[in-house]
Amino acid sequence: MPSNLSPVSVPGQEPVHASSTAAFFDVDNTMMRGASLFAVARKMYQRRAFRLREVAWFALHQLRFVARGENLGDIQAIRDRALLMAAGFSVADMVALGDEIYDEFIESKIWPGTRAIADQHLHAGRRVWLVTATPLEVASVMARRLGLSGALGTSVEHVEGLYTGRLVGEILHGAAKAEAVQDLALAEGLDLDECWGYSDSHNDIPMLEAVGHPVAINPDWRLRRHAKDRNWPVYDFRTGRKAATFGLKAAGISGAIWGLWRSFGALRRRP
């Protein structure tokens, strides 16, 4: 299994070896509202890893993410900018920041409905994994804090405890997620035909089609159409309905703008 796709087992969570089934959850807009990389960027700004204008750049992409869903071009742009700024940052600091990032930015954005589904899988004796483009160090903290079995995330190269600004392998996105899930299934003896997959994005269709029970959560329009054509279950926790109206979507964008403005105001007031 490639090093950047290595699973991170959660301490205290013993794997259910008797079960050959698992559930795989995307993170951004599936397990949580918004983009987890934005939370990482905000915390790194607080640690003076980069300047406010860099956070503003991430905020713009976060807003676009909320408005239109995941886009490969945006993901690649965020990846490249984040890698550039992470060069020289301590791995130990990132690991230590993981819990702070979860407490301050992620926990309040977890979708209760998605977490309930994950808990149901755990109660049924299935392993539950996060599969995300988020850095592995942060993804593993999320899995631990949610009581899940582990995480698959993007691995960033580091030398002598410092990030180099280069990836190990590729970002865990799109088809790479399907490959990661297939590698994990082989290593863990999972029967993918009996496994579940959850995502909001059409970019994750390869991962969803790799399992026997694909489910769309808060789907973008392409995934919604794909799911409808194939009779996949669809859950939308954003509005409580199968489809959001334009008015509700606009309200959500306005709320995101207000939230970002409040956040930046608080950040700028920090000494």
Side-chain angles (χ1 to χ4, degrees):
M1 187 181 299
S3 58
N4 64 316
L5 305 183
S6 297
V8 176
S9 296
V10 178
Q13 286 290 118
E14 293 298 325
V16 186
H17 295 294
S19 173
S20 62
T21 62
F24 302 99
F25 287 80
D26 171 50
V27 171
D28 295 347
N29 271 356
T30 302
M31 181 60 72
M32 64 170 283
R33 184 175 69 255
S36 50
L37 271 176
F38 178 62
V40 176
R42 285 184 60 183
K43 176 52 69 174
M44 290 180 70
Y45 167 76
Q46 289 180 2
R47 292 302 177 91
R48 304 186 188 282
F50 46 83
R51 292 167 293 183
L52 182 63
R53 70 180 184 183
E54 301 292 354
V55 181
W57 185 91
F58 278 100
L60 174 62
H61 283 76
Q62 166 83 332
L63 186 58
R64 290 171 63 177
F65 186 75
V66 171
R68 71 182 188 186
E70 186 175 277
N71 176 274
L72 181 57
D74 287 343
I75 290 291
Q76 291 174 335
I78 291 172
R79 172 203 64 190
D80 293 342
R81 182 68 68 94
L83 286 172
L84 180 65
M85 292 185 298
F89 198 76
S90 165
V91 176
D93 285 345
M94 180 61 75
V95 172
L97 288 179
D99 280 294
E100 293 183 30
I101 291 169
Y102 185 87
D103 287 335
E104 296 177 22
F105 306 124
I106 293 179
E107 185 174 29
S108 63
K109 294 179 173 58
I110 297 294
W111 293 109
T114 307
R115 182 166 188 174
I117 293 172
D119 287 342
Q120 289 173 6
H121 282 295
L122 291 171
H123 292 326
R126 303 184 188 100
R127 284 165 278 185
V128 177
W129 295 82
L130 298 179
V131 188
T132 175
T134 297
L136 192 55
E137 291 81 4
V138 176
S140 63
V141 169
M142 290 185 65
R144 172 172 55 81
R145 295 294 297 272
L146 289 167
L148 309 182
S149 307
L152 299 171
T154 296
S155 182
V156 182
E157 181 185 74
H158 52 86
V159 175
E160 297 182 353
L162 300 177
Y163 289 114
T164 66
R166 294 187 294 270
L167 289 178
V168 177
E170 59 182 312
I171 190 171
L172 203 61
H173 182 267
K177 285 188 178 182
E179 294 173 6
V181 166
Q182 290 162 350
D183 287 344
L184 179 64
L186 183 62
E188 298 283 315
L190 301 174
D191 181 357
L192 286 179
D193 287 339
E194 298 299 326
C195 290
W196 279 256
Y198 299 85
S199 179
D200 71 294
S201 172
H202 69 280
N203 291 310
D204 288 341
I205 287 174
M207 180 184 77
L208 295 175
E209 292 185 335
V211 300
H213 304 284
V215 180
I217 290 184
N218 305 328
D220 59 31
W221 69 269
R222 292 179 184 174
L223 178 57
R224 185 182 294 276
R225 183 175 63 185
H226 191 88
K228 181 179 179 180
D229 289 344
R230 288 155 181 78
N231 293 317
W232 293 355
V234 175
Y235 297 98
D236 197 327
F237 300 125
R238 295 167 297 188
T239 65
R241 297 187 301 179
K242 296 268 183 188
T245 65
F246 176 81
L248 285 172
K249 185 173 183 179
I253 295 171
S254 299
I257 294 172
W258 170 250
L260 289 171
W261 183 84
R262 292 281 306 269
S263 296
F264 289 135
L267 286 172
R268 296 188 68 176
R269 289 193 295 270
R270 285 179 177 269

